[in-house]
Amino acid sequence: MGSNQYHEPPEELSAETRTFARMCAGLSEEAEAIGWYVQRISVEPDEQAKAIMEDSLGEEFKHFSMELEFLLRKTPKWREIAQGILFTEGDIVDHGEAAEEAAS
């Protein structure tokens, strides 16, 4: 098993921490895949190929969202901050500062 996602010796980490690290790595990989699909779609001239890529992009968004939700469920303070930022109107940075300050 690869361990390049760990910054500490894996054998010293709890199973919960290793799972958390794997999910963080997965979230990053999904975000990267989303970026790749957006680029591919923006230059693809074939409409059928583009439709397939757009369908794949939807799958990547789904996976990203599921992994994010898993991580938020495991980290209540992170969820609390995210709730102050996500799906809001107005200045994102202002919401972020207020949410971080209000988090318990």
Side-chain angles (χ1 to χ4, degrees):
M1 176 176 97
S3 63
N4 62 352
Q5 68 201 22
Y6 301 116
H7 294 279
E8 299 296 331
E11 64 277 2
E12 294 181 21
L13 301 173
S14 69
E16 181 180 80
T17 297
R18 290 192 312 271
T19 295
F20 191 86
R22 283 192 289 273
M23 294 303 285
C24 285
L27 187 69
S28 177
E29 291 162 2
E30 297 300 339
E32 185 174 44
I34 289 166
W36 291 341
Y37 277 114
V38 168
Q39 291 177 50
R40 292 172 185 157
I41 290 165
S42 74
V43 298
E44 180 54 55
D46 184 285
E47 288 303 314
Q48 188 172 28
K50 192 175 196 172
I52 293 167
M53 290 177 202
E54 287 170 343
D55 184 70
S56 296
L57 175 61
E59 287 291 311
E60 301 301 343
F61 278 125
K62 178 183 79 175
H63 298 154
F64 179 91
S65 297
M66 290 188 308
E67 290 171 359
L68 178 60
E69 180 62 21
F70 177 90
L71 292 166
L72 291 174
R73 288 181 185 186
K74 296 293 184 180
T75 315
K77 186 173 182 178
W78 192 4
R79 175 180 285 288
E80 189 177 348
I81 293 168
Q83 286 175 326
I85 301 167
L86 299 174
F87 310 110
T88 62
E89 299 293 325
D91 188 274
I92 295 169
V93 174
D94 288 344
H95 287 303
E97 293 297 325
E100 185 177 29
E101 186 175 312
S104 53

